[in-house]
Amino acid sequence: MITTVTDIFVELLQTKQEIRFQVLKTLRQLLQDKHSSLRTLSCRVLRKCMISDNILSHIETLHIHYFLIRCLEQRSEYGLERVEALKFFYHWIQLDCKLIPKSFVLSLVAISESENDPMRISCLLTLCEIAIKNPKTTSMCGGISLICKMCIDPKLEQIQSVLLRCILNMLNSPEKKQYLSDQDLNIILSPFISLFEKTYTKKRFVQFKLSKNAIETLLKDWSGLIFLAHNPNGLKAFLTTLKLPSKKAKIFAIEMLYKLFFLEMPQRKIEKGIYRAVYPNKKSNQIKSSKNIWGNIDSIFPLKRSLRHNLIDNYLSVLLVSFMDIGLFEALVDVGKGDNKTISFYVAHFLSEILYKSRDILSSRLCTILQSLPSLFEIAATFSQNKYNRIRASKLLSELDRFARKKKKKSPKAFHISLIVSRMRKYQTEEEETFETTSKKIIEEMKSRKDKALIDQEFENKIKESKVISTDDYSKWNFRIITDLLIITKNNKKYFDNCLKNKFFKNLLNFFDPKSQQFCNIERNFESLGYVSVGVKLIELLLNTDLSEGFDFLKNSNFLSSLDEALRIESEGASNNKTGMKRLFTPSRMSKTLTKEYFTLIGTFTTNKRGLNLLINTNILNTLQNIVETKGRGDLALPIITSFDYNYSDITRKLLANVLNLGSKLSRLQVIEHLKLLWRAGVNGFSEWAIPILVSQLHDKDQDIVSAALDLLDECCSISSKSFDSLVSCQPPDLEKFGVKGKNLLICVLSTTKGLKYLKEIGYLDKQLVYWEKKGCIDYVKDLEHYLTAIFHIKSFSNTNYNTNNLNKFNNKEVYLPPHFFGELVKTKQGIQILTKRKLISKWFSILNNFYDNNKNKHKENTKEPKTHLQKDTNNNYQDNSNENDKVNNEKNDNGNKTEYSKNIIIDPIEIRAILWAIGNISTSNLGYSLIKKSKPVKLISNIASTTTILSIRGTCLYVLGLIASTSLGRKKLKNCGWEFPVGKGRMIVLPKSNLKKKFFSFPSAKYAGSFAKNSTLNITLNFIGTNIEKEIFSNISDLANKITEETATKNLLKIKSENSDNLFNQPYLFYRSYKMLEYYHFNLRSRKLIHHLFQNIYFEEDIIDKFSNEWLITNPNIKKNNINSLLNNQTNLNSDDNNSQNTNNGNKNNLVDLSSLFEFNENSEKKNVLINKTHKIYYSLERLRTIPRPEGVNSRNILDFLKDDDFMKAFSVNKEQFFKLPKWKQIHKRKEWGLN
């Protein structure tokens, strides 16, 4: 039923424009109905009928928004009606927010201020959207100040991020910033800035927490970071907070520092009287995880910096420099040497992490300044200082030294990863020593102390101390000495022969024999992995020796035959076990004991050709092949695959491919993870044998498998050209169907000649050239910026369909730069030729040059002393028109503002950012930079960064200049332009020096334009024409806007309503005047509801509403005629639509007059003029007025105005002034007698 009615009204408005006005009038009448359901339906129909801007003007002309606001401010029980009214105005915002009435914005402000209103959050979010699209109106109504205030409201914590995004949007746009005052922003900072005592209320504590979160959010955006760095009360709030006596306040500030720098705050653990750092999210006793068998591979094998740049480092470098400038680290030193051990521990850990990180993100000059910590060393080394301060400073230094040593020392790798690393010699670090170097050190140490005879004697003593020969009980063996003996015997034939003869090797190998039930029964934990290490060293020693005795000993032993027998039981099934051997590889034993490590020992054989042949001869490899193909034994297949060596053997590679094709989903994901480990460790020939395996997984139906394979392919191809060639040779399926990952992989293929040729043949290149030239660069920026926003944990205010999981899935500390089409295209000479033919480079630099010229001119104007341009308006009021004079070139952000250049080219800032990112990606290769160096990109982008008032573009310039710094030519140019960068090749980070830094961190000043008093054209006079009681009513309604007089005014109005009849509050002109007050002044929701309650019984006839602004005002009996005549005769200056023309023809019959000034309102900006005949006055006889129908324009309310004074005196025996002083009941009685009611 409702849908049918709605469709009828919409169809009428769309098809029959001649009755559009009448349809809206009908809906307006329904909004006055006493039944909420009819009002709700009217709101819904009106929303559906809003199909054009023309209808919006009709709605405003018919004053429909007054009734809709009354619906919005109904009591809570009318929830559906309120929702429909809000939906109507929200639809209005989407059509044209510039036309949104002030009364609605004030209504939103009032509801948002009401803590218990159920629609508070919805109205506040709507207010945020209006603030972005129409900041002027929002500011005039106090909406922007309210948004800042609500950011620290404890009850609105869930939407704080949305409110902050609205503020950041305004900070980024110069045109919007002028409506955001520093006082408003200081509201957010106030709980964090202001000092408070040790004892404070719970609400104050929550506000402090919300202020901390707000500052953290602001700092994670370029606009907020530059504002806080420039604002005296911004970043320096940290210094203030660290000086507070409250322990919680200091911990809050330190906790925020950890979050800003993406550091995990440790927990304290006391070991032997020393505080240790323990991370709650990391399980120290965990050997493996269910999905990721190697834990965090990125922390063990990070991607090469020159090939995969982390954009988070650019942000951290700027943030770190900002904190250095305000002296934060000196303040942390003061806090760290305090009495509180907990705070000192957190400060020491934070400083150590920052000092370690600064090597990678700061220049050598800044690193020297930061890492010297002069104040700390001075306190610790000066004996003239207070003794206790010196001791505390020394303790802090020792803590920093301990953390630094721990950081320098490589984090302990899992045992199995260390085995893989030891096989990849090129990934060995200085701390990881080979067996050869270790054995030589031990022997040289022995030789330096004793002669040869004593050395031999000491070796024999070590064998005895190991107790391997003297007892079979392994629990009495000294495995530390055993490890040393295995290392020593590796390069000494004499010692090796002695170990063979004295059964040292035999007893040791028997320990690992499955039939001995010793090694396989040991409980599995980190300490017991030492036994595995001994077994690996023993097998490597027997296989790698130059003599054949060790290999023969291993070949003739029962170790491999016993192991093969145990494995065949699993391969053939326990029911077919005829050997009587106990089942060894059960799931329970695999998880609880060292049985699983037998596969590690088998994998050691695969590192040597002789060992691999030994496995083939003993049939162990065939048995393992059968186990891998057995369903349901993924617990065995995965350890087999992860223990093998893949440097040269095709047999082991085929086994891995079988598991990847036949295993369970979990096993296959773990195998791909293992392939990533092998790739980063540098396994031999990975591109030739592993890339085809990964390409085959792209045909799989499981999207998780495809996604994991795509991630690894993308990583391999972005680093190795051989991987590209191998990928192209495999002729992969249509990669575009895999979404962003597949598209990025295809783009990377462009960087090789073979890949470029392949993409050209399949038609991909031409199609993408057209796409990237039109909108691809903009889409690239949107995706990248949304992903950065997601990483920074900031909810974007605008809706987007972009899925942040489509990009690289590493962790929340890394945002790797996605491949850019033009950046990959210019890495080959053929690609440069293609791009040159398009002539895009010259077009881009032309736009950037125009943009810079415009910014330079604006910058010069801003440096001049501001002048005030005062001009008289049509009402002889002085107005500041400086904004009008400067309003030539407007810059605008993504939500609606535009940038106009000197050549009349209008372009969105996102297009500027898209061009900058394209140029930056092109500059990452030597060929690409050579292509654009003639246009002087470094100088141009540096100038844009120092002059632009759009802060998002300034941040983009910093990223782009970092990309240019990846080449040696780019670094030379950057150095000449006043930029510095970290030491090391391929670091894509730049930082401004001295003078350039002041320009970069300068916040564009803007004169506050959000003041209602300075900008409003509303004039209010003190005179009100009406009865005394009406004057009293209006005076009390005005007092409702004042918090001091609000309560008294409420009582007075309710008293007047109770003492007088309802007719007093049924006067249209009183209603109109009261609602005009609601349209311009701030009333709280309670006062607004009171005004609605006073006029709740009023019902307007259609003609009365139409005459709100014209003839019924003139005929109102309470307005004296001489006041009207005076107004009509004295008004000569009239406004036209263009605000320039004036009508001075006093004799013109059809002069436009603003009659709203009769009620002390004069709205020049809205130009609501009324067409009045000044000279013609119509009067009717008493008999004519009593005759029905009455003359046109005459009704029961204005009928007395059409009587001449003589006729009036004859009828009522009094003049009009005396008549209207009579009581209401007498007036009504006399009018009924003459039929004039």
Side-chain angles (χ1 to χ4, degrees):
M1 175 66 181
I2 294 176
T3 305
T4 305
V5 173
T6 304
D7 293 340
I8 292 173
F9 275 102
V10 173
E11 184 179 358
L12 287 173
L13 287 172
Q14 288 178 343
T15 57
K16 299 183 179 181
Q17 298 186 7
E18 63 275 7
I19 65 169
R20 179 178 292 177
F21 215 69
Q22 189 60 40
V23 172
L24 291 175
K25 284 184 177 181
T26 304
L27 293 172
R28 182 181 62 183
Q29 293 300 112
L30 292 175
L31 287 172
Q32 302 181 66
D33 197 88
K34 294 182 179 181
H35 296 88
S36 176
S37 57
L38 277 178
R39 297 196 300 269
T40 303
L41 176 60
S42 301
C43 293
R44 187 178 304 168
V45 173
L46 273 170
R47 172 167 55 88
K48 298 290 185 180
C49 292
M50 292 175 67
I51 55 179
S52 66
D53 294 343
N54 190 23
I55 294 181
L56 290 179
S57 62
H58 290 335
I59 289 174
E60 191 172 6
T61 302
L62 294 173
H63 305 284
I64 294 177
H65 58 283
Y66 286 164
F67 303 99
L68 287 164
I69 290 171
R70 191 161 63 169
C71 294
L72 179 61
E73 295 174 355
Q74 289 285 354
R75 298 191 301 273
S76 300
E77 53 264 31
Y78 298 106
L80 187 58
E81 178 182 348
R82 301 183 69 194
V83 169
E84 288 297 332
L86 183 61
K87 285 182 177 180
F88 168 85
F89 283 111
Y90 186 79
H91 192 58
W92 190 331
I93 295 170
Q94 306 307 316
L95 283 177
D96 192 348
C97 192
K98 297 295 182 183
L99 298 177
I100 201 74
K102 298 184 185 69
S103 54
F104 169 63
V105 180
L106 284 168
S107 177
L108 290 179
V109 171
I111 298 174
S112 301
E113 287 178 335
S114 180
E115 294 184 358
N116 299 322
D117 195 283
M119 292 188 65
R120 183 189 190 192
I121 292 179
S122 301
C123 291
L124 190 55
L125 295 178
T126 306
L127 188 65
C128 288
E129 185 159 353
I130 298 175
I132 290 176
K133 296 181 177 181
N134 190 355
K136 181 176 181 180
T137 301
T138 311
S139 179
M140 299 296 181
C141 299
I144 294 177
S145 298
L146 179 67
I147 291 172
C148 294
K149 183 180 178 181
M150 295 298 103
C151 285
I152 55 173
D153 192 317
K155 295 184 178 180
L156 298 173
E157 184 176 1
Q158 56 182 325
I159 63 168
Q160 184 195 42
S161 59
V162 181
L163 303 179
L164 291 171
R165 289 304 301 170
C166 176
I167 295 171
L168 287 171
N169 182 283
M170 300 189 69
L171 284 174
N172 186 49
S173 172
E175 282 66 41
K176 296 178 183 178
K177 170 61 180 71
Q178 61 183 332
Y179 301 108
L180 185 64
S181 67
D182 292 339
Q183 289 75 14
D184 294 337
L185 292 167
N186 285 336
I187 294 174
I188 303 175
L189 306 177
S190 58
F192 207 84
I193 296 173
S194 57
L195 297 174
F196 54 89
E197 296 77 17
K198 291 184 178 180
T199 57
Y200 44 87
T201 63
K202 182 178 179 181
K203 181 179 179 180
R204 183 70 172 171
F205 177 79
V206 175
Q207 285 183 334
F208 184 86
K209 179 182 176 182
L210 290 173
S211 180
K212 175 188 78 73
N213 295 338
I215 295 174
E216 179 184 338
T217 302
L218 291 174
L219 284 174
K220 289 183 176 180
D221 185 274
W222 286 115
S223 303
L225 176 59
I226 294 174
F227 166 74
L228 291 176
H230 177 78
N231 190 347
N233 295 326
L235 290 180
K236 291 184 179 179
F238 282 97
L239 304 183
T240 305
T241 308
L242 291 172
K243 295 177 183 178
L244 296 177
S246 171
K247 174 185 173 182
K248 286 187 176 181
K250 293 178 181 178
I251 291 180
F252 262 136
I254 296 171
E255 182 185 18
M256 178 161 54
L257 290 174
Y258 273 91
K259 289 183 178 180
L260 286 173
F261 286 94
F262 295 94
L263 300 174
E264 186 175 3
M265 200 164 184
Q267 293 180 354
R268 293 183 306 148
K269 182 180 180 183
I270 302 178
E271 294 180 0
K272 299 180 181 180
I274 302 176
Y275 287 107
R276 304 292 184 190
V278 178
Y279 298 94
N281 295 333
K282 297 180 181 180
K283 298 182 179 180
S284 58
N285 295 325
Q286 187 176 3
I287 295 181
K288 70 167 188 174
S289 68
S290 59
K291 293 185 178 180
N292 193 341
I293 53 176
W294 302 127
N296 187 5
I297 293 181
D298 301 302
S299 62
I300 302 168
F301 293 113
L303 291 176
K304 293 184 178 180
R305 186 179 292 106
S306 59
L307 297 166
R308 285 279 189 169
H309 175 60
N310 183 11
L311 294 176
I312 299 296
D313 289 343
N314 298 74
Y315 160 77
L316 293 179
S317 63
V318 177
L319 183 65
L320 190 55
V321 170
S322 302
F323 279 130
M324 289 174 62
D325 290 341
I326 65 170
L328 177 69
F329 295 96
E330 286 75 9
L332 286 174
V333 168
D334 292 337
V335 174
K337 62 183 181 62
D339 295 331
N340 193 292
K341 293 183 179 180
T342 302
I343 295 177
S344 298
F345 170 79
Y346 288 143
V347 168
H349 185 266
F350 174 77
L351 286 176
S352 65
E353 291 284 353
I354 292 301
L355 294 178
Y356 182 82
K357 181 69 175 177
S358 64
R359 302 178 308 168
D360 297 329
I361 62 176
L362 295 183
S363 64
S364 56
R365 180 182 68 86
L366 294 174
C367 274
T368 304
I369 296 173
L370 177 62
Q371 299 197 13
S372 60
L373 294 177
S375 58
L376 179 60
F377 281 96
E378 182 181 358
I379 296 172
T382 305
F383 285 87
S384 60
Q385 294 280 347
N386 183 288
K387 178 181 178 181
Y388 295 102
N389 288 341
R390 189 174 70 253
I391 293 174
R392 292 167 188 158
S394 300
K395 285 184 178 180
L396 181 58
L397 275 175
S398 63
E399 281 292 305
L400 288 174
D401 181 66
R402 184 174 65 83
F403 278 120
R405 291 177 182 274
K406 183 178 179 182
K407 200 73 181 176
K408 184 177 179 181
K409 196 175 183 181
K410 295 290 182 181
S411 58
K413 301 180 178 67
F415 172 75
H416 302 86
I417 294 180
S418 65
L419 290 179
I420 296 174
V421 171
S422 66
R423 297 168 187 169
M424 318 302 170
R425 299 302 184 189
K426 68 175 184 177
Y427 273 86
Q428 285 184 351
T429 60
E430 295 178 359
E431 290 76 22
E432 295 168 346
E433 298 172 332
T434 60
F435 294 157
E436 291 84 351
T437 56
T438 306
S439 62
K440 288 179 181 179
K441 282 186 178 181
I442 295 175
I443 294 174
E444 288 176 2
E445 184 181 353
M446 293 170 64
K447 287 182 178 180
S448 64
R449 290 184 288 106
K450 300 176 182 180
D451 56 21
K452 189 174 182 180
L454 291 177
I455 293 174
D456 295 342
Q457 183 61 41
E458 184 173 345
F459 179 77
E460 295 295 333
N461 292 337
K462 281 184 174 291
I463 290 180
K464 291 180 181 179
E465 291 175 7
S466 68
K467 297 184 180 181
V468 174
I469 300 175
S470 59
T471 178
D472 293 335
D473 187 0
Y474 73 90
S475 61
K476 297 180 180 180
W477 293 358
N478 191 328
F479 279 89
R480 195 171 199 179
I481 295 178
I482 293 173
T483 303
D484 292 341
L485 289 171
L486 292 175
I487 294 173
I488 294 171
T489 55
K490 186 171 183 64
N491 289 328
N492 194 304
K493 183 178 182 303
K494 180 181 177 181
Y495 295 159
F496 184 82
D497 292 339
N498 288 340
C499 290
L500 281 176
K501 291 177 182 178
N502 58 21
K503 298 183 180 180
F504 178 81
F505 288 153
K506 181 179 179 181
N507 292 346
L508 198 57
L509 195 59
N510 286 337
F511 164 73
F512 293 100
D513 195 317
K515 290 184 178 180
S516 67
Q517 295 291 310
Q518 298 182 72
F519 174 77
C520 59
N521 287 334
I522 298 175
E523 184 181 358
R524 177 178 171 80
N525 53 49
F526 278 108
E527 294 179 357
S528 62
L529 291 178
Y531 298 112
V532 187
S533 178
V534 172
V536 170
K537 286 180 172 61
L538 175 62
I539 295 173
E540 287 181 342
L541 176 62
L542 296 175
L543 288 175
N544 295 334
T545 180
D546 294 334
L547 301 176
S548 60
E549 289 85 350
F551 177 75
D552 294 337
F553 169 77
L554 191 59
K555 180 179 179 181
N556 298 327
S557 66
N558 296 325
F559 172 72
L560 288 176
S561 60
S562 300
L563 194 57
D564 179 58
E565 187 177 342
L567 290 170
R568 274 193 282 109
I569 295 175
E570 302 300 326
S571 174
E572 298 173 358
S575 58
N576 298 326
N577 183 11
K578 299 179 182 180
T579 60
M581 185 178 180
K582 187 177 179 181
R583 187 183 177 191
L584 188 63
F585 296 97
T586 62
S588 176
R589 292 176 64 88
M590 287 284 291
S591 60
K592 296 180 180 179
T593 67
L594 290 181
T595 301
K596 182 180 180 180
E597 303 307 324
Y598 275 117
F599 297 109
T600 303
L601 300 180
I602 294 174
T604 308
F605 282 90
T606 63
T607 61
N608 186 287
K609 289 184 179 180
R610 293 200 298 182
L612 190 61
N613 292 331
L614 197 57
L615 292 178
I616 295 173
N617 295 334
T618 54
N619 207 36
I620 288 181
L621 277 181
N622 290 334
T623 305
L624 293 176
Q625 176 72 31
N626 295 333
I627 293 175
V628 166
E629 295 176 356
T630 302
K631 292 184 178 180
R633 289 317 306 266
D635 59 324
L636 293 180
L638 191 63
I640 292 171
I641 295 306
T642 55
S643 61
F644 280 178
D645 180 71
Y646 299 94
N647 278 291
Y648 64 91
S649 175
D650 291 335
I651 299 175
T652 56
R653 295 169 182 174
K654 289 179 180 179
L655 277 174
L656 184 143
N658 288 339
V659 175
L660 194 55
N661 292 326
L662 302 175
S664 63
K665 177 180 177 179
L666 180 60
S667 299
R668 296 170 68 191
L669 289 173
Q670 290 173 333
V671 169
I672 295 176
E673 189 73 12
H674 183 63
L675 281 173
K676 180 187 289 188
L677 178 66
L678 294 175
W679 157 250
R680 295 193 181 182
V683 68
N684 186 36
F686 185 89
S687 298
E688 287 76 18
W689 66 269
I691 295 296
I693 294 176
L694 290 171
V695 171
S696 67
Q697 302 306 306
L698 300 180
H699 300 278
D700 198 272
K701 295 181 180 180
D702 195 303
Q703 293 302 314
D704 292 334
I705 301 293
V706 175
S707 178
L710 277 173
D711 283 337
L712 186 51
L713 283 171
D714 177 49
E715 181 179 326
C716 298
C717 293
S718 63
I719 295 176
S720 171
S721 59
K722 292 182 179 179
S723 299
F724 278 125
D725 295 338
S726 180
L727 177 65
V728 173
S729 301
C730 294
Q731 294 184 351
D734 184 13
L735 294 176
E736 286 188 282
K737 69 180 181 181
F738 299 119
V740 174
K741 292 180 180 179
K743 292 177 181 178
N744 288 344
L745 188 56
L746 271 176
I747 291 173
C748 290
V749 174
L750 288 169
S751 61
T752 63
T753 305
K754 188 176 180 179
L756 182 63
K757 182 180 178 181
Y758 166 73
L759 294 179
K760 194 172 183 179
E761 291 175 353
I762 64 175
Y764 173 82
L765 181 61
D766 295 334
K767 182 175 65 175
Q768 289 299 309
L769 277 171
V770 175
Y771 165 72
W772 280 84
E773 187 175 349
K774 289 183 178 180
K775 56 177 293 189
C777 293
I778 294 178
D779 290 343
Y780 177 89
V781 174
K782 288 181 179 179
D783 291 348
L784 180 58
E785 290 180 353
H786 281 305
Y787 188 59
L788 283 168
T789 301
I791 292 297
F792 283 132
H793 305 288
I794 302 174
K795 295 180 180 179
S796 179
F797 183 77
S798 59
N799 295 326
T800 176
N801 296 325
Y802 179 71
N803 184 4
T804 55
N805 294 325
N806 288 335
L807 285 177
N808 309 298
K809 295 168 66 176
F810 292 103
N811 55 53
N812 60 356
K813 299 180 184 179
E814 296 172 340
V815 182
Y816 291 124
L817 185 69
H820 195 282
F821 179 83
F822 294 116
E824 300 298 322
L825 185 65
V826 297
K827 289 182 179 180
T828 61
K829 293 182 179 180
Q830 295 84 349
I832 288 180
Q833 293 175 359
I834 294 173
L835 186 58
T836 305
K837 291 179 181 179
R838 294 273 175 172
K839 297 181 180 181
L840 289 176
I841 302 295
S842 58
K843 177 183 176 182
W844 291 340
F845 278 100
S846 176
I847 294 174
L848 291 182
N849 280 305
N850 290 332
F851 179 72
Y852 167 63
D853 292 339
N854 182 67
N855 287 331
K856 185 169 60 175
N857 296 333
K858 280 195 170 185
H859 183 70
K860 290 180 180 179
E861 292 175 3
N862 292 335
T863 55
K864 295 179 181 179
E865 185 178 353
K867 297 181 180 180
T868 303
H869 304 274
L870 292 178
Q871 297 179 3
K872 284 186 179 181
D873 63 7
T874 55
N875 293 308
N876 295 325
N877 298 317
Y878 284 95
Q879 293 182 345
D880 184 0
N881 295 325
S882 57
N883 290 336
E884 297 294 331
N885 297 333
D886 296 336
K887 192 178 172 187
V888 179
N889 299 323
N890 293 329
E891 289 178 352
K892 170 182 176 207
N893 68 357
D894 304 350
N895 292 295
N897 298 304
K898 297 215 168 176
T899 304
E900 185 176 343
Y901 304 112
S902 57
K903 294 187 179 181
N904 297 325
I905 301 175
I906 300 178
I907 188 171
D908 283 343
I910 193 171
E911 295 183 36
I912 297 292
R913 299 202 298 273
I915 293 173
L916 289 171
W917 276 112
I919 292 174
N921 279 277
I922 289 173
S923 304
T924 54
S925 63
N926 291 325
L927 286 174
Y929 186 78
S930 301
L931 179 64
I932 64 173
K933 66 179 181 180
K934 293 182 181 179
S935 301
K936 299 180 180 180
V938 174
K939 184 178 180 180
L940 176 60
I941 297 175
S942 298
N943 291 335
I944 291 175
S946 59
T947 58
T948 182
T949 55
I950 303 178
L951 303 182
S952 60
I953 292 181
R954 196 180 296 181
T956 302
C957 289
L958 196 72
Y959 282 125
V960 171
L961 290 172
L963 298 180
I964 296 176
S966 60
T967 61
S968 57
L969 292 175
R971 288 199 163 206
K972 290 180 181 179
K973 295 294 182 182
L974 285 166
K975 192 173 183 180
N976 295 334
C977 291
W979 297 88
E980 55 186 341
F981 25 77
V983 179
K985 185 179 179 181
R987 298 181 189 268
M988 301 180 183
I989 298 174
V990 294
L991 291 167
K993 290 183 181 178
S994 57
N995 294 332
L996 192 60
K997 183 167 67 173
K998 292 180 181 179
K999 294 180 181 179
F1000 182 82
F1001 284 107
S1002 64
F1003 192 77
S1005 59
K1007 184 179 179 182
Y1008 181 59
S1011 173
F1012 173 79
K1014 291 183 179 181
N1015 293 275
S1016 176
T1017 57
L1018 177 66
N1019 298 322
I1020 300 181
T1021 63
L1022 298 176
N1023 297 324
F1024 172 69
I1025 305 167
T1027 64
N1028 291 332
I1029 193 168
E1030 289 171 349
K1031 291 180 181 179
E1032 184 181 356
I1033 290 172
F1034 182 68
S1035 175
N1036 282 289
I1037 290 176
S1038 301
D1039 289 342
L1040 289 175
N1042 191 327
K1043 291 184 178 180
I1044 299 175
T1045 59
E1046 177 191 355
E1047 185 176 355
T1048 303
T1050 301
K1051 293 179 180 179
N1052 293 339
L1053 287 169
L1054 293 175
K1055 182 179 179 181
I1056 293 172
K1057 185 175 178 63
S1058 62
E1059 291 179 353
N1060 295 272
S1061 62
D1062 291 339
N1063 291 333
L1064 185 61
F1065 289 98
N1066 289 345
Q1067 302 297 329
Y1069 58 88
L1070 195 59
F1071 170 86
Y1072 178 74
R1073 180 182 179 85
S1074 301
Y1075 273 63
K1076 271 294 182 182
M1077 290 292 294
L1078 290 179
E1079 189 171 358
Y1080 284 95
Y1081 293 102
H1082 177 243
F1083 295 84
N1084 60 35
L1085 186 60
R1086 182 175 57 183
S1087 299
R1088 296 176 73 92
K1089 287 184 177 180
L1090 174 63
I1091 295 173
H1092 297 321
H1093 171 71
L1094 295 174
F1095 295 97
Q1096 65 178 349
N1097 295 326
I1098 193 170
Y1099 184 83
F1100 296 101
E1101 298 177 3
E1102 187 174 305
D1103 58 335
I1104 293 297
I1105 305 177
D1106 293 338
K1107 296 171 183 178
F1108 263 175
S1109 296
N1110 43 63
E1111 62 179 315
W1112 75 269
L1113 294 173
I1114 303 173
T1115 57
N1116 178 27
N1118 292 331
I1119 302 176
K1120 295 181 179 180
K1121 298 300 180 186
N1122 57 353
N1123 291 334
I1124 298 175
N1125 295 332
S1126 175
L1127 172 72
L1128 297 176
N1129 292 329
N1130 293 333
Q1131 181 162 354
T1132 57
N1133 297 326
L1134 303 170
N1135 295 331
S1136 61
D1137 290 338
D1138 58 0
N1139 287 327
N1140 294 320
S1141 63
Q1142 291 184 342
N1143 188 352
T1144 58
N1145 184 9
N1146 293 331
N1148 188 353
K1149 184 177 180 179
N1150 293 324
N1151 254 338
L1152 294 175
V1153 179
D1154 188 0
L1155 291 183
S1156 59
S1157 59
L1158 290 173
F1159 292 98
E1160 292 74 45
F1161 290 96
N1162 184 6
E1163 304 169 68
N1164 295 325
S1165 60
E1166 296 184 7
K1167 311 175 190 65
K1168 294 183 178 178
N1169 299 318
V1170 183
L1171 186 63
I1172 301 294
N1173 188 338
K1174 299 194 303 180
T1175 59
H1176 185 58
K1177 299 184 183 299
I1178 302 175
Y1179 295 104
Y1180 298 100
S1181 64
L1182 183 62
E1183 290 76 19
R1184 177 69 185 89
L1185 291 176
R1186 296 175 64 182
T1187 305
I1188 303 298
R1190 287 169 178 156
E1192 184 178 359
V1194 179
N1195 54 49
S1196 60
R1197 290 182 175 84
N1198 62 11
I1199 190 171
L1200 298 181
D1201 292 331
F1202 289 88
L1203 272 177
K1204 291 183 179 180
D1205 293 341
D1206 296 338
D1207 293 339
F1208 193 96
M1209 193 71 180
K1210 291 179 183 178
F1212 299 109
S1213 301
V1214 292
N1215 58 28
K1216 290 184 179 180
E1217 184 176 356
Q1218 293 173 340
F1219 179 85
F1220 289 117
K1221 288 182 180 179
L1222 296 174
K1224 288 288 183 182
W1225 64 271
K1226 270 193 176 184
Q1227 295 181 30
I1228 296 172
H1229 178 70
K1230 287 181 176 293
R1231 290 176 62 175
K1232 284 183 178 179
E1233 288 180 353
W1234 288 93
L1236 297 176
N1237 54 340

